[in-house]
Each structure stands twice: as C-alpha cells, then as structure tokens.
Amino acid sequence: MSDRRISGVGVTPLRGVGTVVQYDSTVDLNDERSAADPETERRRFEEARETAADELARERSRTAERVGAEEAEIFDAHQQFLADPQITEGVETAISEDGVTAERAVSRAFEDPIATFEGADGMFAERADDLRDVRDRLLRLLLDRDRVDLSALPEGTVIVAKRLTPSDTAQLDPDAVAGFVTVEGGRTSHAAIMARSLAIPAVVGVDPAALDLADGTRLVVDGTTGDVTVDPDDDAVAAARESSGATVRHDPVTTVDGRHVEVAANVGTPQEAEAAAERGADGVGLFRTEFLFLDRETPPNEDEQYEALNEVCEAFAGSRVVVRTLDIGGDKPIPYVDSDPGDNPFLGVRGVRFAPGERPELFEEHVRAILRAAAGPAQLAVMFPLVSTVTELDALLDEVSAIAGELDDAGVDYAVPELGAMVETPASVFLAREFADRLDFLSIGTNDLTQYVMAAARDDDRVASLHDPLHPPVLRAIARTVEAAHEGDAWVGMCGEMAGDPDLTELLVGLGLDELSMSAVTIPDVKAGVQAVDDESAATLAETALRAETNEDVRELID
C-alpha cells in the first residue's frame, strides 16, 4: 500500500502502537454435511440454539464483570434474536420444504433480516452486526468449528478486520490489544461502545484496502483523529506513545479561574471502579447496583450487596461514591421477578416504581446494605431513579429514615449518607426546586432526559436524530435544573453520556454543573478540558447555546 495513512472514524480518545493481526470471523459452508431427514435437522438446530443460549448467558456474565453491566445488555438482544419467530420459522421452512441442512437453513433465515437492517440508516443499520454474531455462533456450533480465542492475542496486537462483533470485542484483553481497525462500523456500534469501555484505541470505517495489510505490519492507531499510520517511522511511534491520550490526573482539577468541578466515573462493578481509579476519577458519580441482581436465579441477600458496595467504596476511600438504588423493571427485567413490562416499558414500572413500588422487600434489604456501606471508607451518597412526584420522594425519604431507625435499634453500624434524586423526566425538571429543598443533590441522567423531553425512545433507531442532548429543549431543561438546585442549596451532577464528551466540557461547566460522571476512558480528557475552561467564556457559550433554536446551531457554536 503506497499511502502511508488510512483514514476512518476514531471512536476512542486514545492512541496505540502495535503490529497487525488480520482477523476474519466469517463462517463458510464449504464443507457442510449432507442433509439428513428433516426431523434430525430440526433437532440439530434446536440443540445448537440451546447451546448458543447457554454461551450467551455465560458471555453476558463475563462481560458485565469485565466491561460493564450496561454493555452486557447487548447479549440480551442476542438472546431475543435466537428466539425471533421470523428466524426460527425461516429455519423450519428451509428444512421442511427445501430439504436443506440445519446450517444451510440458518444461513438462509438470517439473510433477509440482515439485509433489512443494512438497508436502514444510522444505528439501526449497525444492528446487522448483532444478527451476524448470532448467525455465526449457530453456524459454528452446527459445523463443530473452533472459535478463535481473541482473549489470548500477543501483547501489542492491532486487530484488523472487516468487522468485529460484540462477542469478538468482549473477548479482548486491553493489556494485550494495542488497538483495532475495522472496515465497517460506526461510533455507535457495539464494538465501538465496548472499545471505549475497555479503553482500547479504535478506528472504524476505514478503506477495505486495510484488509490487505500483512500480518506483522506496524501501525499507529489514533482513535482521536481516526488516522491509521502504516509503517510509521520511529519519530511517529515515539510521538504516538508520548501522546497516547491526555495525562492521567489523580488530583482534583479546577477551571482557569479556580472553580472546582468533580470528574467522576460511571461504574457497574467493583472491577470497573478499580479501573476508573487508575484513570484518575475523583470518585464515582453513578454506581449501577442492578448488576448485583442480574445473571442469577435469586436476588442477592443484604450481605452480598454490602460486600460489593464496600469493594467499590474501598477503591475510592475518602472520595464520594454515588450509589443509584435499584433501577430494574420495564426495559431491564430480572428473570426471578414476575413483572409485566407493559406495552411501553420506558413509561412503565421501572426505577422507584419497581423498588420500592412493586417490590418493597427488595428495596428494604437493598437500602439496609447501602446504609451499612455508608459507614465505610468512602463518602457514600445515594440517589433514587425516576422520581416524578414530591409524594414519591417524601415516601422514599420516610422509608430511608425508618430503615435507619431499625438498624439503630439493632445496634448495627450504619450512616445516613447524602441523599439525591435522578433528574430524568420533565416532571423532575419542573420539580427540581422542591426536590432540592429536601435533598443534598440532583444528578441529571441525560440519556433518559433526552428520551422523555424529545419523546424519542432510546432503543428506536428511527428517531435516533432526536436523541441528541444538544437539542435546545434538553439544554434548557438542564439549565433550569441547575438553577433550581442551586437555589435550594443542592449540588448538581450529570451522569449521562453527554458528561463524557470532551467537546462539551466547556458548555457543561458554563451551564453550572458541579460534577460530571462518565465512562473511565474519557476521564483524563474531560479533566484536561476542565483545566482549560475560562469561566466567563464558558458562561457566555452557555447563554448563547440556550438561545439557539436547533441542535445544529448549538453544534456550530461548540465547533
């Protein structure tokens, strides 16, 4: 390749140097067996489907532990594809009417769904990779093929592939993999999301000529600019290694004018908390406790929850750890709880409507564990998800007070931490002052707030353009929340994806946020951004953005 640089889309704010290992996950049917009778082929398919479901359950658990609870939800969608009637009926038809093998039937049944997704736009198109992942898993099992072990790659590997599926990316060891480069995929693909969580430099959407690079070719992968340098000279390698991302700062940071802004991490497991501490997080702005309740047959008891909470607190001894109470229900069901998600789970029983709403016994044990952990090494804080009325909030505060009284009567060591609420709905925006009068802090969850303000479901790719927190109504909701909270002497944090975008740091500081919480990979860049902010300029930027009429206008201001 004569051109020494290949351009694509950078998906992580990191740079890596390593050598090429070409990877192709395609499963071909060149040596498929002859078809047996239809009943045998149906049985083979069902056995492969059961094995695939077991594999997915194990991979979900491993991914939740290694990468994060939210990223592991990808495998829930894969389980749904396994049971999709369009696919299972397609396999049945091909076996019964066409007399083909189970593997040939699987290949055919996935063709139309994959083509449908590929013909769509944006994030919807990227769902095709999920279907391919499920298809290839079934084919591998039916053909008895070994899977390439991507967890055992040599140190300094740069994977080059047409595409990486979620199952592929979940295997990667960030200590060994210096980066990956793919021909297909975008910033919102599951592989890109996992790369950010694992802090692996990655560039996607490059020219297919990258697939012609010989194994062992040295590359510099720049996940910030989207450039891949082929056969870089020593100076380029040294420069890349020296600038492999913003410097990790373990001390708190301030703006140019001395205003402190806490830069914290969103975590779902104790392992994620340790990784966040290594990336310089000031604390934890969102600890998702629901991971404790997933991938098991019964709910965790109080002691199990206490131990997990205490592990996270030990990773941030002396710092603030904000724990979100159980946010399960609706779109995040748990198998051992019989709960109807309803026609629209995002508007149904979730957050505090589920616990304590429908399962007060789960909530009581949960809060007992949290109050016990609050007596530990960290400055624990607790926030309640999806609070929409003052009545709900008052009931929650009464419940915490009652549980604290029970622990006191029993002589159990505990503490009542700072208490807060998530601001995720228009209702909580309009009640922010009333909430602030009762609480120590508010935390804005921009993913759900955008969804509810714009009436655009997070999981519906047809309305993906509306799911942008820079739409003026969302920005104005954020500004209103900050103003009302500060009037009520409460501090305000943000724990949605918006907080982790370094390009938006100046705007968020200008809006008055006291804390920003994000995936660990972007913490150094956001800290660097905070240190570069001039308070007066940031306030002017925010004021101008709040007068904008479209999200495009806001982006032009930021650019």
Side-chain angles (χ1 to χ4, degrees):
M1 183 178 298
S2 57
D3 190 352
R4 292 175 57 81
R5 183 157 297 185
I6 307 169
S7 294
V9 178
V11 297
T12 50
L14 299 168
R15 298 169 184 85
V17 179
T19 54
V20 170
V21 171
Q22 291 282 352
Y23 172 67
D24 183 0
S25 61
T26 305
V27 180
D28 62 63
L29 300 179
N30 291 338
D31 57 350
E32 71 171 309
R33 50 189 290 284
S34 300
D37 61 277
E39 185 56 37
T40 299
E41 296 302 329
R42 279 192 291 270
R43 186 174 64 253
R44 291 182 64 235
F45 169 64
E46 287 302 325
E47 288 173 353
R49 198 153 67 108
E50 289 175 11
T51 303
D54 290 341
E55 283 186 357
L56 286 169
R58 289 194 297 271
E59 287 185 21
R60 190 195 195 289
S61 296
R62 285 196 299 269
T63 303
E65 183 176 345
R66 291 185 60 249
V67 186
E70 195 163 348
E71 289 80 0
E73 292 175 7
I74 292 166
F75 294 104
D76 294 337
H78 290 202
Q79 293 279 20
Q80 292 170 4
F81 285 137
L82 272 181
D84 189 318
Q86 181 182 357
I87 291 170
T88 56
E89 290 170 9
V91 171
E92 169 66 26
T93 298
I95 290 174
S96 300
E97 297 181 8
D98 300 334
V100 300
T101 61
E103 47 267 40
R104 182 67 61 179
V106 165
S107 182
R108 290 185 185 179
F110 276 85
E111 285 176 359
D112 286 345
I114 289 174
T116 298
F117 279 118
E118 285 182 328
D121 295 323
M123 290 186 291
F124 207 57
E126 291 163 359
R127 294 276 180 90
D129 280 345
D130 295 318
L131 280 166
R132 290 190 189 92
D133 202 342
V134 176
R135 178 200 64 191
D136 291 348
R137 185 184 298 274
L138 287 168
L139 291 177
R140 176 176 51 80
L141 291 168
L142 286 164
L143 294 166
D144 196 25
R145 302 271 179 83
D146 291 331
R147 182 178 183 176
V148 176
D149 186 3
L150 294 179
S151 66
L153 292 168
E155 188 173 347
T157 291
V158 173
I159 299 172
V160 178
K162 184 176 182 181
R163 69 178 65 88
L164 286 177
T165 66
S167 295
D168 294 331
T169 317
Q171 294 183 66
L172 302 182
D173 178 359
D175 292 330
V177 176
F180 69 73
V181 177
T182 64
V183 171
E184 297 183 359
R187 279 193 59 83
T188 57
S189 68
H190 291 320
I193 292 168
M194 285 192 174
R196 289 192 287 274
S197 297
L198 290 166
I200 294 175
V203 174
V204 301
V206 302
D207 190 286
L211 301 177
D212 297 328
L213 292 170
D215 282 358
T217 303
R218 182 182 258 189
L219 299 181
V220 170
V221 180
D222 191 330
T224 302
T225 65
D227 290 329
V228 179
T229 305
V230 183
D231 290 324
D233 58 30
D234 292 342
D235 289 342
V237 170
R241 285 178 172 154
E242 287 173 7
S243 60
S244 58
T247 302
V248 173
R249 297 165 173 82
H250 290 284
D251 294 328
V253 293
T254 65
T255 63
V256 171
D257 301 291
R259 180 186 159 205
H260 171 61
V261 178
E262 187 171 338
V263 181
N266 298 338
V267 305
T269 66
Q271 292 80 7
E272 283 186 70
E274 293 171 6
E278 292 174 1
R279 298 288 292 173
D282 295 332
V284 173
L286 168 62
F287 178 40
R288 306 180 183 97
T289 56
E290 54 269 17
F291 94 94
L292 296 166
F293 291 77
L294 299 171
D295 300 316
R296 52 187 301 147
E297 300 301 321
T298 58
N301 61 36
E302 179 184 326
D303 287 338
E304 287 179 276
Q305 295 183 58
Y306 167 76
E307 292 297 335
L309 290 163
N310 203 49
E311 266 192 83
V312 175
C313 290
E314 286 175 350
F316 285 96
S319 301
R320 181 157 52 205
V321 172
V322 180
V323 176
R324 181 176 67 189
T325 59
L326 185 57
D327 190 16
I328 279 180
D331 63 315
K332 289 184 282 189
I334 46 180
Y336 46 83
V337 173
D338 184 15
S339 180
D340 181 5
D343 294 333
N344 190 333
F346 284 114
L347 299 180
V349 179
R350 55 183 300 222
V352 297
R353 301 171 187 175
F354 174 77
E358 289 198 350
R359 295 299 298 267
E361 76 287 357
L362 281 182
F363 186 75
E364 181 176 352
E365 196 165 43
H366 186 50
V367 172
R368 284 175 62 91
I370 291 171
L371 296 189
R372 287 172 56 197
Q379 299 170 21
L380 200 67
V382 176
M383 62 184 179
F384 306 111
L386 209 73
V387 183
S388 302
T389 69
V390 169
T391 303
E392 281 179 330
L393 180 57
D394 286 341
L396 289 163
L397 297 178
D398 288 344
E399 180 74 6
V400 171
S401 181
I403 293 169
E406 292 171 5
L407 290 170
D408 197 38
D409 292 341
V412 176
D413 192 21
Y414 77 97
V416 177
E418 282 189 310
L419 299 176
M422 297 282 291
V423 175
E424 304 169 274
T425 65
S428 54
V429 171
F430 289 120
L431 290 171
R433 178 56 196 269
E434 287 81 358
F435 285 4
D437 287 340
R438 291 162 168 80
L439 297 167
D440 300 295
F441 70 97
L442 301 178
S443 183
I444 301 170
T446 52
N447 299 349
D448 270 333
L449 181 62
T450 304
Q451 168 178 246
Y452 293 126
V453 167
M454 301 303 297
R458 292 167 58 180
D459 61 350
D460 190 337
D461 299 294
R462 295 169 297 178
V463 291
S465 64
L466 292 174
H467 210 273
D468 180 355
L470 294 184
H471 280 293
V474 182
L475 285 184
R476 293 170 193 174
I478 293 168
R480 180 176 181 139
T481 300
V482 173
E483 182 180 2
H486 287 167
E487 287 174 354
D489 293 325
W491 62 268
V492 191
M494 177 183 285
C495 58
E497 286 185 21
M498 185 181 189
D501 187 340
D503 291 337
L504 304 183
T505 300
E506 183 182 12
L507 173 64
L508 297 179
V509 172
L511 288 168
L513 273 296
D514 303 298
E515 178 231 50
L516 301 172
S517 189
M518 63 210 67
S519 297
V521 67
T522 56
I523 286 170
D525 293 273
V526 172
K527 277 195 161 184
V530 170
Q531 289 186 305
V533 167
D534 172 272
D535 286 359
E536 185 176 347
S537 297
T540 300
L541 173 64
E543 290 168 7
T544 308
L546 290 171
R547 292 194 298 269
E549 296 183 349
T550 70
N551 60 328
E552 288 86 359
D553 293 340
V554 177
R555 289 198 182 279
E556 284 184 15
L557 283 170
I558 292 167
D559 291 341

